[in-house]
Amino acid sequence: MDTSTCRRDPVDEAAEDLCEAVLGSLRRSDQRARGRQYVRGLLATEGRKSIRNIAQQLGGPAAEQNLHHFIAGSTWDWQPVRTALSHYLEESTPLTAWVAQPMAFPKGGEHSVGAGHRFDPHRGRMFRGQQAFGIWFTSAGVNTPVGWRLFLPSEDAYESYEECAVTGVLDTVRQRRMPSRPVVLDVRGIGTRSTMNRFREAGLPVLARIGATARLLVTDPALPGYGAGAAGARDILQGVRGLRVPVEWPDPSHPGARRTSLVAAVRVMMPDPSPARRREVLLFGEWTDPRRPVARLWVTDMTRSAPAAVLRLTKQARRVSAVAAAASVREVGLRDFGGRSLSGWHRHVTMASVAHAARCLGTRVALRADPVAEPGLCPDPRLNRRRG
């Protein structure tokens, strides 16, 4: 094949289109040019995506100084860029759900903003680095972060892990002003009364992970536990095992594979000292092995949703987790910012989010145009990897 006639790389095309659309909020032309350079550098640079390594792709010391100022010393606001990214994606592939994904950013140094010895509740272990929440846009064809909040526990202004996750989602969704879609919070134990109340006040439907021992009140007189007072979520679901139904779902970790889980749903109420704030929610359980205890527990205020629909919605979080752990996140340098300022961190992850969205959109176009991904059709070897 004559590679000189090969069409332009779809990822590069997607990056150019995205930069044209989302960098318009940057007031100065030099800022918009630096933004394009940074996104191209994140996509093209091999290894760690430090400003120095990116600059080597673009022209050396002068480029390094310009890019360092663009990320660490400039004054441009990252929120309008993230908002424009969300709207661009909505026009391309309409939003299914927002997903809050906890992400650990390992750091060996002492000076990165927010770095320290942390316990990661999502993975259940200690690490050194930063903790953050990515707010992901999920649709039929795209899973990519469009909002960020860094967890910064301190004695001066303490924000809990749960508050950080919820505030990150609410801030992101409010600023977008897009059609209302469910929010999936796949953060262990986040389905508390406080979380559910904050989403109710915001008018956003939510599906949140809940702890096995969370205390709830059964509200259906026909079910075991009604009138017996608050009981643990796992015990409530254990009492309705006979109501479980099988639901098939596509496994995002293994494209083409389908799995079956048993699910049961119970209407419950979260105990609240204020009668005005008490309301029914749906306690939802998933069993991956019918002989073992319930594997995952959720609560949702979407009380009219069918169990099958709720289960498939939870799998949006599984899709995001698979993408967050994939090479595509590493290849755009989402975790590679080494600076000390919070504003610099936000600008870097914003540009990395644009680059990741370009990778998602471009790869989607390439695979749709050539589903067998025949070697040689595209000069970018990442688009010719065998899928499976």
Side-chain angles (χ1 to χ4, degrees), residues 94-179:
L95 176 70
T96 299
W98 304 99
V99 175
Q101 170 69 25
M103 295 186 70
F105 290 61
K107 300 288 179 183
E110 298 291 331
H111 304 297
S112 295
V113 59
H117 289 287
R118 305 275 184 248
F119 175 74
D120 182 359
H122 193 62
R123 298 186 297 173
R125 65 189 187 195
M126 295 293 298
F127 77 104
R128 173 160 187 83
Q130 301 160 316
Q131 284 180 313
F133 290 94
I135 293 79
W136 290 60
F137 178 108
T138 71
S139 69
V142 168
N143 294 277
T144 194
V146 294
W148 291 94
R149 190 170 182 86
L150 189 62
F151 182 43
L152 297 170
S154 69
E155 295 181 0
D156 296 333
Y158 180 74
E159 179 181 60
S160 71
Y161 190 76
E162 176 183 340
E163 290 169 340
C164 182
V166 173
T167 300
V169 173
L170 292 178
D171 285 352
T172 295
V173 177
R174 285 167 178 159
Q175 289 157 1
R176 301 312 185 260
R177 296 183 180 180
M178 291 167 57

Coordinates of all heavy atoms in Angstrom, one line a residue, residues 94-179:
P94 N -24.5 12.0 22.6 CA -25.2 12.5 23.8 C -25.0 11.7 25.1 O -24.8 10.5 25.1 CB -26.7 12.3 23.3 CG -26.7 12.4 21.9 CD -25.4 11.7 21.5
L95 N -24.9 12.5 26.1 CA -24.6 12.0 27.5 C -25.6 11.0 28.0 O -26.8 11.2 27.8 CB -24.6 13.3 28.4 CG -24.4 13.0 29.9 CD1 -22.9 12.6 30.2 CD2 -24.7 14.3 30.7
T96 N -25.0 9.9 28.6 CA -25.9 8.9 29.2 C -25.9 9.2 30.7 O -27.0 9.1 31.3 CB -25.3 7.5 29.0 OG1 -25.3 7.2 27.6 CG2 -26.1 6.4 29.7
A97 N -24.7 9.4 31.3 CA -24.7 9.6 32.8 C -23.3 10.3 33.1 O -22.4 10.2 32.4 CB -24.8 8.3 33.5
W98 N -23.3 11.0 34.2 CA -22.1 11.5 34.8 C -21.6 10.4 35.8 O -22.4 9.9 36.6 CB -22.4 12.8 35.6 CG -23.0 13.9 34.8 CD1 -24.3 14.2 34.8 CD2 -22.3 14.8 34.0 NE1 -24.5 15.3 34.0 CE2 -23.3 15.7 33.5 CE3 -21.0 15.0 33.5 CZ2 -23.0 16.7 32.6 CZ3 -20.7 16.0 32.7 CH2 -21.7 16.9 32.2
V99 N -20.3 10.2 35.8 CA -19.7 9.2 36.8 C -18.6 9.9 37.5 O -17.7 10.5 36.9 CB -19.2 8.0 36.0 CG1 -18.5 7.1 37.0 CG2 -20.3 7.3 35.3
A100 N -18.6 9.8 38.9 CA -17.5 10.3 39.7 C -16.5 9.1 39.9 O -16.9 8.1 40.5 CB -18.0 10.8 41.0
Q101 N -15.3 9.3 39.4 CA -14.3 8.3 39.5 C -13.1 8.7 40.4 O -12.4 9.7 40.1 CB -13.7 8.0 38.1 CG -12.5 7.0 38.1 CD -12.9 5.6 38.5 OE1 -14.0 5.2 38.4 NE2 -11.9 4.9 39.0
P102 N -13.0 8.1 41.6 CA -11.8 8.4 42.4 C -10.5 8.0 41.7 O -10.4 6.9 41.0 CB -12.0 7.5 43.7 CG -13.4 7.0 43.6 CD -13.8 7.0 42.2
M103 N -9.5 8.8 41.7 CA -8.3 8.6 41.0 C -7.1 8.9 41.9 O -7.0 10.0 42.5 CB -8.2 9.3 39.7 CG -9.2 8.9 38.7 SD -9.0 9.7 37.0 CE -7.5 8.9 36.4
A104 N -6.2 8.0 42.1 CA -4.9 8.2 42.8 C -3.8 8.7 41.9 O -3.7 8.2 40.8 CB -4.5 7.0 43.5
F105 N -3.1 9.7 42.3 CA -2.0 10.3 41.5 C -0.7 10.0 42.3 O -0.3 10.9 43.1 CB -2.1 11.8 41.2 CG -3.3 12.1 40.3 CD1 -4.6 11.8 40.6 CD2 -3.0 12.8 39.1 CE1 -5.6 12.1 39.7 CE2 -4.0 13.2 38.2 CZ -5.3 12.8 38.5
P106 N 0.0 8.9 42.1 CA 1.2 8.6 42.9 C 2.2 9.7 42.7 O 2.5 10.1 41.6 CB 1.7 7.3 42.4 CG 0.4 6.6 41.8 CD -0.4 7.8 41.3
K107 N 2.8 10.2 43.8 CA 3.9 11.2 43.7 C 5.0 10.9 44.7 O 4.7 10.6 45.9 CB 3.3 12.6 44.0 CG 2.2 13.1 43.1 CD 2.8 13.5 41.7 CE 1.6 13.9 40.8 NZ 2.1 14.2 39.5
G108 N 6.2 10.9 44.2 CA 7.3 10.6 45.1 C 7.9 11.8 45.8 O 8.5 11.7 46.9
G109 N 7.7 13.0 45.3 CA 8.3 14.2 45.9 C 7.5 14.7 47.0 O 6.4 14.2 47.4
E110 N 8.0 15.8 47.6 CA 7.4 16.4 48.8 C 6.6 17.6 48.5 O 5.9 18.1 49.4 CB 8.5 16.7 49.8 CG 9.3 15.5 50.3 CD 8.5 14.6 51.2 OE1 7.6 15.1 51.9 OE2 8.8 13.4 51.2
H111 N 6.7 18.2 47.3 CA 6.2 19.5 47.1 C 5.0 19.6 46.1 O 4.5 20.7 45.9 CB 7.3 20.4 46.5 CG 8.5 20.4 47.4 ND1 8.5 20.9 48.7 CD2 9.8 19.9 47.2 CE1 9.7 20.8 49.3 NE2 10.5 20.2 48.4
S112 N 4.6 18.5 45.5 CA 3.4 18.6 44.6 C 2.2 19.0 45.5 O 2.0 18.5 46.6 CB 3.2 17.2 44.0 OG 4.2 16.9 43.1
V113 N 1.3 19.8 44.9 CA 0.1 20.3 45.6 C -0.7 19.1 46.0 O -1.0 18.2 45.2 CB -0.6 21.3 44.7 CG1 -1.1 20.6 43.4 CG2 -1.9 21.8 45.4
G114 N -1.1 19.1 47.3 CA -2.0 18.1 47.8 C -1.4 16.7 48.0 O -2.1 15.8 48.4
A115 N -0.1 16.6 47.8 CA 0.6 15.2 47.9 C 0.8 14.9 49.4 O 1.1 15.8 50.2 CB 1.9 15.2 47.2
G116 N 0.7 13.7 49.7 CA 1.0 13.2 51.1 C 0.8 11.8 51.2 O 0.5 11.1 50.2
H117 N 0.9 11.2 52.4 CA 0.6 9.8 52.7 C -0.9 9.7 52.8 O -1.5 10.3 53.7 CB 1.3 9.3 53.9 CG 2.8 9.1 53.7 ND1 3.4 8.1 52.9 CD2 3.8 9.9 54.2 CE1 4.7 8.3 52.9 NE2 5.0 9.3 53.7
R118 N -1.5 9.0 52.0 CA -3.0 8.9 51.9 C -3.5 7.5 52.0 O -2.8 6.6 51.5 CB -3.5 9.5 50.6 CG -3.0 11.0 50.3 CD -3.9 12.0 51.0 NE -3.5 13.3 50.7 CZ -3.0 14.2 51.5 NH1 -2.8 13.8 52.8 NH2 -2.7 15.4 51.2
F119 N -4.7 7.4 52.6 CA -5.4 6.1 52.5 C -6.4 6.2 51.4 O -7.2 7.2 51.4 CB -6.1 5.8 53.8 CG -6.9 4.5 53.7 CD1 -6.3 3.2 53.6 CD2 -8.3 4.6 53.6 CE1 -7.1 2.1 53.5 CE2 -9.1 3.4 53.5 CZ -8.5 2.2 53.5
D120 N -6.4 5.4 50.4 CA -7.3 5.4 49.3 C -8.4 4.5 49.6 O -8.3 3.2 49.4 CB -6.5 4.9 48.0 CG -7.4 5.0 46.7 OD1 -8.6 5.3 46.9 OD2 -6.9 4.7 45.7
P121 N -9.6 5.0 49.9 CA -10.8 4.1 50.2 C -11.2 3.3 49.0 O -11.8 2.2 49.2 CB -11.8 5.1 50.7 CG -11.1 6.4 51.0 CD -9.9 6.4 50.1
H122 N -11.0 3.8 47.8 CA -11.5 3.1 46.6 C -10.7 1.8 46.4 O -11.3 0.8 46.0 CB -11.3 4.1 45.4 CG -12.0 3.6 44.2 ND1 -13.4 3.4 44.1 CD2 -11.6 3.2 43.0 CE1 -13.7 3.0 42.9 NE2 -12.7 2.9 42.2
R123 N -9.4 1.9 46.7 CA -8.6 0.7 46.5 C -8.2 0.0 47.9 O -7.7 -1.1 47.9 CB -7.3 1.0 45.8 CG -7.5 1.6 44.4 CD -6.2 1.8 43.7 NE -5.4 2.8 44.3 CZ -4.1 3.1 44.0 NH1 -3.5 2.4 43.0 NH2 -3.4 4.0 44.6
G124 N -8.6 0.7 49.0 CA -8.4 0.1 50.3 C -6.9 -0.1 50.7 O -6.6 -1.1 51.4
R125 N -6.1 0.9 50.3 CA -4.7 0.8 50.7 C -4.0 2.2 50.8 O -4.5 3.2 50.3 CB -3.9 -0.1 49.8 CG -3.8 0.5 48.3 CD -3.2 -0.5 47.4 NE -2.9 0.0 46.1 CZ -2.7 -0.7 45.0 NH1 -2.7 -2.0 45.1 NH2 -2.4 -0.1 43.8
M126 N -2.9 2.2 51.5 CA -2.1 3.5 51.6 C -1.3 3.7 50.4 O -0.8 2.7 49.7 CB -1.2 3.4 52.9 CG -2.0 3.3 54.2 SD -2.9 4.8 54.6 CE -1.6 6.1 54.7
F127 N -1.0 5.0 50.1 CA -0.1 5.3 49.0 C 0.4 6.7 49.3 O -0.1 7.5 50.1 CB -0.8 5.2 47.6 CG -1.7 6.4 47.3 CD1 -1.3 7.4 46.4 CD2 -2.9 6.5 47.9 CE1 -2.1 8.4 46.2 CE2 -3.8 7.6 47.7 CZ -3.3 8.5 46.8
R128 N 1.5 7.1 48.6 CA 1.9 8.5 48.6 C 1.6 9.2 47.3 O 1.9 8.8 46.3 CB 3.4 8.6 48.9 CG 3.9 10.0 48.8 CD 5.3 10.3 49.5 NE 5.4 11.7 49.4 CZ 4.9 12.6 50.3 NH1 4.2 12.1 51.3 NH2 5.1 13.9 50.2
G129 N 0.9 10.3 47.5 CA 0.6 11.1 46.3 C -0.7 11.9 46.5 O -0.9 12.4 47.6
Q130 N -1.4 12.2 45.4 CA -2.6 13.0 45.5 C -3.8 12.2 45.3 O -3.8 11.1 44.6 CB -2.5 14.1 44.3 CG -1.3 15.0 44.4 CD -1.1 15.6 43.0 OE1 -1.1 14.9 42.0 NE2 -0.8 16.9 43.0
Q131 N -4.9 12.6 45.8 CA -6.2 12.0 45.6 C -7.1 13.0 44.9 O -7.1 14.2 45.3 CB -6.9 11.6 46.9 CG -6.3 10.3 47.5 CD -7.0 10.0 48.8 OE1 -7.2 10.8 49.7 NE2 -7.4 8.7 49.0
A132 N -7.8 12.5 43.9 CA -8.7 13.4 43.1 C -9.9 12.7 42.7 O -9.9 11.4 42.7 CB -7.9 14.0 41.9
F133 N -10.9 13.4 42.3 CA -12.1 12.9 41.6 C -12.2 13.4 40.2 O -12.2 14.7 40.0 CB -13.3 13.2 42.5 CG -13.4 12.5 43.8 CD1 -12.9 13.1 44.9 CD2 -13.9 11.2 43.9 CE1 -13.0 12.5 46.1 CE2 -14.0 10.6 45.1 CZ -13.5 11.2 46.2
G134 N -12.3 12.5 39.3 CA -12.6 12.9 37.9 C -14.1 12.8 37.7 O -14.7 11.8 38.1
I135 N -14.7 13.8 37.1 CA -16.1 13.7 36.8 C -16.2 13.4 35.3 O -15.8 14.2 34.4 CB -16.9 14.9 37.1 CG1 -16.9 15.1 38.7 CG2 -18.3 14.9 36.6 CD1 -15.7 15.7 39.3
W136 N -16.7 12.2 35.0 CA -16.6 11.6 33.6 C -17.9 11.8 32.8 O -19.0 11.6 33.4 CB -16.2 10.2 33.6 CG -14.8 9.9 34.1 CD1 -14.2 10.3 35.3 CD2 -13.7 9.3 33.3 NE1 -12.9 9.9 35.3 CE2 -12.6 9.3 34.1 CE3 -13.7 8.7 32.1 CZ2 -11.4 8.8 33.7 CZ3 -12.5 8.2 31.6 CH2 -11.3 8.2 32.4
F137 N -17.8 12.2 31.6 CA -18.9 12.2 30.6 C -18.9 10.8 30.0 O -18.0 10.3 29.4 CB -18.6 13.2 29.6 CG -19.6 13.3 28.5 CD1 -20.4 14.5 28.4 CD2 -19.7 12.4 27.4 CE1 -21.3 14.6 27.4 CE2 -20.6 12.5 26.4 CZ -21.4 13.7 26.4
T138 N -20.1 10.1 30.2 CA -20.2 8.8 29.6 C -21.4 8.8 28.6 O -22.4 9.4 28.8 CB -20.5 7.7 30.6 OG1 -21.8 7.8 31.2 CG2 -19.4 7.8 31.7
S139 N -21.2 8.1 27.5 CA -22.2 8.0 26.4 C -22.0 6.6 25.8 O -21.2 5.8 26.2 CB -22.1 9.1 25.4 OG -20.9 9.0 24.6
A140 N -22.8 6.4 24.7 CA -22.7 5.1 24.0 C -21.3 4.9 23.4 O -20.8 3.8 23.3 CB -23.7 5.1 22.9
G141 N -20.6 6.0 23.0 CA -19.3 5.8 22.4 C -18.1 6.5 23.0 O -17.0 6.3 22.6
V142 N -18.3 7.2 24.1 CA -17.2 8.0 24.7 C -17.3 7.9 26.3 O -18.3 8.0 26.9 CB -17.3 9.5 24.3 CG1 -16.3 10.3 25.1 CG2 -16.9 9.6 22.8
N143 N -16.1 7.7 26.9 CA -16.0 7.8 28.3 C -14.7 8.7 28.6 O -13.6 8.2 28.3 CB -15.8 6.4 29.0 CG -17.0 5.6 28.8 OD1 -17.9 5.7 29.6 ND2 -17.0 4.7 27.8
T144 N -14.9 9.9 29.1 CA -13.7 10.8 29.2 C -14.0 11.8 30.3 O -15.2 12.2 30.5 CB -13.4 11.5 27.9 OG1 -12.1 12.1 27.9 CG2 -14.5 12.5 27.5
P145 N -13.0 12.2 31.1 CA -13.2 13.1 32.2 C -13.4 14.5 31.6 O -12.8 15.0 30.6 CB -11.9 13.0 33.0 CG -10.9 12.6 32.0 CD -11.6 11.7 31.0
V146 N -14.3 15.3 32.3 CA -14.6 16.7 31.9 C -14.6 17.6 33.1 O -14.8 18.8 32.9 CB -15.9 16.8 31.1 CG1 -15.9 16.1 29.8 CG2 -17.1 16.3 32.0
G147 N -14.4 17.1 34.3 CA -14.3 17.9 35.5 C -13.4 17.3 36.5 O -13.2 16.0 36.5
W148 N -12.9 18.1 37.4 CA -11.9 17.6 38.4 C -12.0 18.3 39.7 O -12.3 19.5 39.7 CB -10.5 17.8 37.8 CG -10.1 16.9 36.7 CD1 -10.3 17.2 35.3 CD2 -9.7 15.6 36.7 NE1 -9.9 16.2 34.6 CE2 -9.5 15.1 35.4 CE3 -9.4 14.7 37.7 CZ2 -9.1 13.9 35.0 CZ3 -8.9 13.4 37.4 CH2 -8.8 13.0 36.1
R149 N -11.7 17.6 40.8 CA -11.6 18.2 42.1 C -10.5 17.4 42.8 O -10.6 16.2 42.9 CB -12.9 18.2 42.9 CG -12.8 19.0 44.1 CD -14.2 19.1 44.8 NE -14.2 20.0 46.0 CZ -14.3 21.3 45.9 NH1 -14.4 21.9 44.8 NH2 -14.4 22.0 47.1
L150 N -9.5 18.2 43.3 CA -8.4 17.6 44.1 C -8.8 17.6 45.6 O -9.3 18.6 46.1 CB -7.2 18.4 43.8 CG -5.8 17.8 44.4 CD1 -5.5 16.5 43.7 CD2 -4.7 18.8 44.2
F151 N -8.6 16.4 46.2 CA -8.8 16.3 47.6 C -7.7 16.9 48.4 O -6.5 16.5 48.3 CB -9.0 14.8 48.0 CG -9.3 14.5 49.4 CD1 -10.3 15.3 50.1 CD2 -8.7 13.5 50.1 CE1 -10.6 15.0 51.4 CE2 -9.0 13.2 51.4 CZ -10.0 14.0 52.1
L152 N -8.0 18.0 49.2 CA -7.0 18.7 49.9 C -7.3 18.8 51.4 O -7.7 19.8 51.9 CB -6.9 20.1 49.3 CG -6.4 20.2 47.9 CD1 -6.6 21.7 47.4 CD2 -5.0 19.8 47.7
P153 N -7.2 17.7 52.1 CA -7.5 17.7 53.5 C -6.5 18.6 54.3 O -5.3 18.4 54.1 CB -7.4 16.2 54.0 CG -6.5 15.6 53.0 CD -6.7 16.4 51.7
S154 N -7.0 19.5 55.1 CA -6.0 20.3 55.9 C -6.7 20.7 57.2 O -8.0 20.7 57.2 CB -5.6 21.5 55.1 OG -6.7 22.4 54.9
E155 N -6.0 21.2 58.1 CA -6.5 21.6 59.4 C -7.3 22.9 59.2 O -8.2 23.3 60.0 CB -5.4 21.7 60.4 CG -4.8 20.4 60.8 CD -3.7 20.5 61.9 OE1 -3.5 21.7 62.3 OE2 -3.1 19.5 62.3
D156 N -6.9 23.7 58.2 CA -7.4 25.1 58.0 C -8.9 25.0 57.4 O -9.8 25.7 57.9 CB -6.6 25.9 57.1 CG -5.2 26.2 57.8 OD1 -5.1 26.2 59.0 OD2 -4.2 26.4 57.0
A157 N -9.0 24.2 56.4 CA -10.3 24.1 55.8 C -10.6 22.6 55.4 O -10.3 22.2 54.2 CB -10.3 25.0 54.5
Y158 N -11.0 21.8 56.3 CA -11.1 20.4 56.1 C -12.4 20.1 55.3 O -13.5 20.6 55.6 CB -11.2 19.6 57.4 CG -11.3 18.1 57.2 CD1 -10.3 17.4 56.8 CD2 -12.5 17.5 57.4 CE1 -10.4 16.0 56.5 CE2 -12.7 16.1 57.2 CZ -11.6 15.4 56.8 OH -11.7 14.1 56.5
E159 N -12.2 19.3 54.2 CA -13.3 18.8 53.4 C -13.2 17.3 53.4 O -12.1 16.8 53.1 CB -13.2 19.4 52.0 CG -14.3 18.9 51.1 CD -14.1 19.4 49.7 OE1 -13.1 19.2 49.0 OE2 -15.0 20.1 49.2
S160 N -14.2 16.6 53.8 CA -14.1 15.2 53.8 C -14.1 14.6 52.4 O -14.4 15.3 51.4 CB -15.4 14.6 54.6 OG -16.5 14.7 53.8
Y161 N -13.7 13.3 52.4 CA -13.6 12.6 51.1 C -14.9 12.6 50.4 O -15.0 12.9 49.2 CB -13.1 11.2 51.4 CG -12.7 10.3 50.2 CD1 -11.5 10.5 49.6 CD2 -13.5 9.3 49.8 CE1 -11.1 9.7 48.5 CE2 -13.2 8.5 48.8 CZ -12.0 8.7 48.1 OH -11.6 7.9 47.1
E162 N -16.0 12.3 51.2 CA -17.3 12.3 50.6 C -17.7 13.7 50.1 O -18.3 13.8 49.0 CB -18.3 11.9 51.7 CG -19.8 11.9 51.2 CD -20.7 11.5 52.3 OE1 -20.3 10.8 53.3 OE2 -21.9 11.9 52.2
E163 N -17.5 14.7 50.9 CA -17.8 16.1 50.5 C -17.1 16.5 49.2 O -17.6 17.2 48.3 CB -17.5 17.1 51.6 CG -18.4 17.0 52.8 CD -17.9 17.7 54.0 OE1 -16.7 18.1 54.0 OE2 -18.7 18.0 54.9
C164 N -15.8 16.1 49.1 CA -15.0 16.4 47.9 C -15.7 15.8 46.7 O -15.8 16.5 45.6 CB -13.6 15.9 48.1 SG -12.5 16.3 46.7
A165 N -16.0 14.5 46.8 CA -16.6 13.9 45.6 C -18.0 14.5 45.2 O -18.2 14.8 44.0 CB -16.9 12.4 45.9
V166 N -18.8 14.8 46.2 CA -20.1 15.3 45.9 C -20.0 16.7 45.3 O -20.7 17.1 44.3 CB -21.0 15.3 47.1 CG1 -22.4 16.0 46.9 CG2 -21.3 13.8 47.5
T167 N -19.2 17.6 46.0 CA -19.0 18.9 45.5 C -18.4 19.0 44.1 O -18.8 19.8 43.3 CB -18.1 19.7 46.5 OG1 -18.7 19.7 47.8 CG2 -17.9 21.2 46.0
G168 N -17.5 18.1 43.8 CA -16.9 18.0 42.5 C -18.0 17.7 41.4 O -18.0 18.4 40.4
V169 N -18.9 16.8 41.7 CA -19.9 16.5 40.7 C -20.9 17.6 40.6 O -21.2 18.0 39.5 CB -20.7 15.2 41.2 CG1 -21.9 15.0 40.3 CG2 -19.7 14.0 41.1
L170 N -21.4 18.1 41.7 CA -22.4 19.2 41.6 C -21.8 20.4 41.0 O -22.5 21.1 40.1 CB -22.9 19.5 43.0 CG -23.7 18.4 43.7 CD1 -24.1 18.9 45.1 CD2 -24.9 18.1 42.9
D171 N -20.6 20.8 41.2 CA -20.0 22.0 40.6 C -19.9 21.8 39.1 O -20.2 22.7 38.3 CB -18.6 22.3 41.2 CG -18.7 22.9 42.5 OD1 -19.8 23.3 43.0 OD2 -17.6 23.1 43.2
T172 N -19.5 20.6 38.7 CA -19.3 20.3 37.3 C -20.7 20.3 36.6 O -20.8 21.0 35.5 CB -18.7 18.9 37.1 OG1 -17.4 18.9 37.6 CG2 -18.6 18.5 35.6
V173 N -21.7 19.7 37.1 CA -23.0 19.6 36.4 C -23.7 20.9 36.4 O -24.2 21.3 35.3 CB -23.9 18.5 37.1 CG1 -25.2 18.5 36.4 CG2 -23.2 17.1 37.0
R174 N -23.6 21.7 37.5 CA -24.2 23.0 37.5 C -23.7 23.9 36.4 O -24.4 24.7 35.8 CB -24.1 23.6 38.9 CG -25.0 23.0 39.9 CD -24.6 23.5 41.3 NE -25.5 23.0 42.3 CZ -25.1 22.9 43.6 NH1 -23.9 23.2 44.0 NH2 -25.9 22.4 44.5
Q175 N -22.3 23.9 36.3 CA -21.7 24.8 35.3 C -22.0 24.4 33.9 O -21.9 25.3 33.0 CB -20.2 24.8 35.6 CG -19.8 25.5 36.9 CD -18.4 25.0 37.4 OE1 -17.8 24.2 36.8 NE2 -18.0 25.5 38.5
R176 N -22.3 23.2 33.6 CA -22.5 22.7 32.2 C -23.9 23.1 31.7 O -24.0 23.4 30.5 CB -22.4 21.2 32.1 CG -21.0 20.6 32.5 CD -19.9 21.4 31.9 NE -18.6 20.7 32.2 CZ -17.8 21.1 33.2 NH1 -18.1 22.2 34.0 NH2 -16.6 20.5 33.4
R177 N -24.9 23.2 32.5 CA -26.3 23.5 32.1 C -26.7 22.7 30.9 O -27.1 23.2 29.9 CB -26.4 25.0 31.8 CG -26.1 25.9 33.0 CD -26.3 27.4 32.6 NE -26.0 28.2 33.8 CZ -26.1 29.5 33.8 NH1 -26.4 30.2 32.7 NH2 -25.9 30.2 34.9
M178 N -26.6 21.4 31.1 CA -26.9 20.4 30.1 C -28.2 19.7 30.5 O -28.6 19.8 31.6 CB -25.8 19.5 29.8 CG -24.6 20.2 29.2 SD -23.1 19.2 29.2 CE -23.6 17.7 28.4
P179 N -28.8 18.9 29.6 CA -30.0 18.1 30.0 C -29.7 17.2 31.2 O -28.6 16.7 31.3 CB -30.2 17.2 28.7 CG -29.6 18.0 27.6 CD -28.4 18.7 28.2

